[in-house]
Amino acid sequence: MKRALVGDIGGTNARFALWENDRMHSVKVYQTADYTSPEQAIDAYLNDHDLARGALGSVCLAVAGPVDGDAFRFTNNHWRLSRQAFCKTLQVDELLLINDFSAMALGMTRLQPGEFREVCAGQAEAVRPAVVIGPGTGLGVGTLLSLGEGRWMALPGEGGHVDLPVGNAREAAIRQQIEREIGHVSAETVLSGGGLLRLYQAICLLDGHRAVLQTPAAITEAALAGEPLACSVIEQFCRFLGRVAGNNVLTLGARGGVYIVGGVIPRFAELFLNSGFAECFADKGCMSGYFKGVPVWLVTAEFSGLLGAGVALQQKQA
């Protein structure tokens, strides 16, 4: 039987692994900027593992953006893909494309002890939806549903592009400052790697500070070192994330819990755990009591999207 390959392709990184016997192995990460197409990156992966074209029976790629039809254009990088051309070029029998946060949601079903931390205590209701949300290159939002008997459904969506919610005059001023610069302010405009820098710059303009930090990494490093302005930016970032996550819980009735994923939050995990996230998460006026007992976890597992792609492929072939 031919091997299967799973991939998790974001704006910056493309992660690939082999999937055999319900297990993932041989993970390798490539920079999307180094390749002109997913086919070229997968060719590099095959070469690195002494595999030839035609060695793969099935491929499942988790991709950022809505999936429909033969052609797909990646949201946060320069790649494009045609399903038919992909299968012909790599001599693949089957290509399954799924939304990256559908894969991330399915990956939550394979979490192991030590791969998540409690943010808000509670008890997940197994028959209710769970929210999976994560700032990275963009802001991904997915929904996980249990179908019973060990099967799962992940609902795709573009929840990162909802309007950025505000809960007080300060947040309204921040949003207005950003709107003056770029127009429409989505949640992803702030809640992403680039959004962290945009938030810093907006706060500097509002408060009369000189914006000396030039990258999200520099802001994070300064905050971890205790620099007050950078700390206030990280705090506001976490509070906005709490509001967006809480909105999703109300919309979906997501008493199955909330998983915080992505590459941004784990970089300042302790600041996040001690931030106003939980306060803003449940700051919903007359509906604030709804959040009692809804658990929230910070996921630290490295390759949940890849695992979720494997789960999707396995469920399709079952």
Side-chain angles (χ1 to χ4, degrees):
M1 183 176 178
K2 290 184 178 179
R3 296 174 173 88
L5 179 138
V6 292
D8 179 17
I9 301 172
T12 305
N13 296 313
R15 305 164 182 85
F16 299 113
L18 296 175
W19 185 267
E20 296 181 287
N21 301 317
D22 192 26
R23 290 288 183 271
M24 179 179 76
H25 65 88
S26 304
V27 176
K28 193 155 187 181
V29 182
Y30 300 82
Q31 299 290 307
T32 57
D34 293 341
Y35 302 91
T36 60
S37 68
E39 290 95 327
Q40 189 184 63
I42 291 172
D43 257 338
Y45 179 87
L46 293 174
N47 289 334
D48 288 343
H49 292 84
D50 297 320
L51 296 171
R53 290 184 178 183
L56 302 174
S58 300
V59 173
C60 179
L61 298 181
V63 294
V67 177
D68 186 30
D70 177 71
F72 179 80
R73 181 173 182 173
F74 291 78
T75 301
N76 290 319
N77 68 43
H78 61 286
W79 287 357
R80 298 188 181 191
L81 179 149
S82 159
R83 294 175 195 252
Q84 290 185 353
F86 179 96
C87 290
K88 183 177 180 180
T89 298
L90 294 177
Q91 301 172 35
V92 169
D93 299 329
E94 176 188 32
L95 170 63
L96 175 63
L97 291 182
I98 63 172
N99 176 268
D100 60 339
F101 257 73
S102 293
M104 186 66 78
L106 290 171
M108 298 302 97
T109 68
R110 295 296 186 93
L111 284 180
Q112 300 299 314
E115 293 184 333
F116 56 93
R117 300 178 67 179
E118 184 179 86
V119 181
C120 300
Q123 183 65 45
E125 298 181 18
V127 297
R128 304 296 290 275
V131 171
V132 184
I133 182 169
T137 303
L139 176 65
V141 182
T143 305
L144 180 66
L145 295 171
S146 172
L147 302 179
E149 300 180 350
R151 292 187 62 83
W152 302 86
M153 176 182 289
L155 303 181
E158 293 300 320
H161 297 282
V162 300
D163 296 339
L164 180 72
V166 298
N168 53 47
R170 169 68 170 177
E171 291 175 355
I174 292 171
R175 174 173 166 159
Q176 188 175 46
Q177 176 62 46
I178 296 172
E179 187 174 16
R180 280 195 291 266
E181 297 171 18
I182 65 169
H184 178 255
V185 183
S186 69
E188 182 177 272
T189 301
V190 168
L191 296 174
S192 57
L196 180 60
L197 179 60
R198 183 174 288 116
L199 179 62
Y200 167 76
Q201 292 167 341
I203 288 175
C204 285
L205 281 169
L206 280 173
D207 296 345
H209 299 292
R210 188 165 64 91
V212 297
L213 304 176
Q214 300 298 317
T215 66
I219 297 165
T220 299
E221 184 178 346
L224 291 172
E227 196 278 315
L229 176 57
C231 286
S232 72
V233 173
I234 294 293
E235 171 66 18
Q236 187 58 66
F237 187 95
C238 296
R239 295 178 75 87
F240 275 134
L241 181 59
R243 297 197 188 284
V244 175
N247 284 354
N248 276 276
V249 168
L250 288 180
T251 299
L252 297 165
R255 297 193 60 83
V258 177
Y259 297 89
I260 307 295
V261 299
V264 173
I265 299 296
R267 294 173 185 168
F268 48 82
E270 296 305 323
L271 293 176
F272 173 73
L273 292 170
N274 290 288
S275 74
F277 169 90
E279 175 190 341
C280 293
F281 175 63
D283 181 21
K284 302 300 179 188
C286 66
M287 289 302 295
S288 297
Y290 186 84
F291 291 83
K292 185 177 181 180
V294 177
V296 180
W297 305 280
L298 172 59
V299 177
T300 56
E302 193 172 7
F303 298 116
S304 294
L306 275 178
L307 280 169
V311 172
L313 191 61
Q314 180 182 322
Q315 290 195 154
K316 186 176 187 295
Q317 296 176 340

